[in-house]
Amino acid sequence: MRKEKTWASLAKWRSELYPVYDGSGSVAVMIERAASYNFGIRTYGVHINGYVKTEATGEIRMWVGRRSQHKPTWPGYLDQIAAGGIGNGMGVWESMVKECGEEAGIPAELARRARYAGTIQYFTRSGLGLQPETQYVLDLELPSDFVPVPTDGEVESFLLLSVEETLEQLKRGDFKPNCAACAVDFLIRRGFITPENEPDYLAIIDNLHCALPYPPPQAI
């Protein structure tokens, strides 16, 4: 199918296998990541919100990465400090530490300070198909003097944004859509997006936590 260019998505071949789970939570089959759109496979990823808190004022600023212009998907858009799909039998925590090191040069001992913050779940609709996705979300407070460094070529630069700047970039559509969802989830949990300043508050929360009618794994 790839050779014959059956689907446009296969041009974005990753040479990375994603597991497909059966009703018991066991792996039924593995499938190439690029083909998951076409088969409607529920995929899993990990997104890390890297942030800095000013000691004197408590002000929060977020580290965001600008995706490389050479990325096969969403080149040049804003992203979390580190994020990635979970495949090849890796666990959530293991994937988090790996992505932090590979994408932002965050040492493992620092990455392990991250804290789980739940999940977001949604359907991604695009010209490639309709894909259900679950993202494990972690928050990582970083030292004020730490500066992330692009290390694997997937991110071209990092920006340290105030909450106001982050909201402005979100409104402008500068974030990759699922990264925008993760950033919005962070801002809701931290009390920056509220029922008082956002009329669609409940609708946003509902859409960040869609029920996905696909078997989940027993554990990742």
Side-chain angles (χ1 to χ4, degrees), residues 87-107:
N88 300 318
M90 293 188 70
V92 179
W93 192 254
E94 181 185 7
S95 296
M96 180 275 295
V97 173
K98 178 180 77 73
E99 295 295 342
C100 282
E102 289 181 353
E103 293 191 358
I106 301 173

Side-chain angles (χ1 to χ4, degrees), residues 1-2 6-18 20 30-43 128-132:
M1 289 178 174
R2 178 190 183 191
T6 304
W7 295 313
S9 62
L10 300 186
K12 304 178 186 294
W13 198 268
R14 307 291 190 90
S15 296
E16 182 179 354
L17 294 177
Y18 270 1
V20 182
M30 303 289 283
I31 190 169
E32 157 61 31
R33 178 176 179 175
S36 60
Y37 289 94
N38 306 98
F39 289 96
I41 302 304
R42 180 180 180 179
T43 60
L128 300 178
L130 183 65
Q131 186 175 27

Side-chain angles (χ1 to χ4, degrees), residues 42 119-123 133-135 207-212:
R42 180 180 180 179
T119 66
I120 57 173
Q121 298 193 150
Y122 50 85
F123 283 90
E133 295 185 291
T134 294
Q135 301 292 353
N207 282 281
L208 287 173
H209 303 285
C210 292
L212 301 179

Side-chain angles (χ1 to χ4, degrees), residues 184 188 193-208:
V184 167
I188 288 172
I193 297 177
T194 69
E196 287 71 36
N197 63 25
E198 176 50 65
D200 293 324
Y201 183 78
L202 287 179
I204 290 170
I205 291 176
D206 287 346
N207 282 281
L208 287 173

Side-chain angles (χ1 to χ4, degrees), residues 50-71:
Y51 69 98
V52 174
K53 184 184 291 185
T54 304
E55 192 169 325
T57 64
E59 176 193 11
I60 286 179
R61 292 179 293 167
M62 292 188 71
W63 278 109
V64 300
R66 185 170 298 281
R67 295 165 65 86
S68 167
Q69 297 294 338
H70 303 291
K71 287 280 288 182

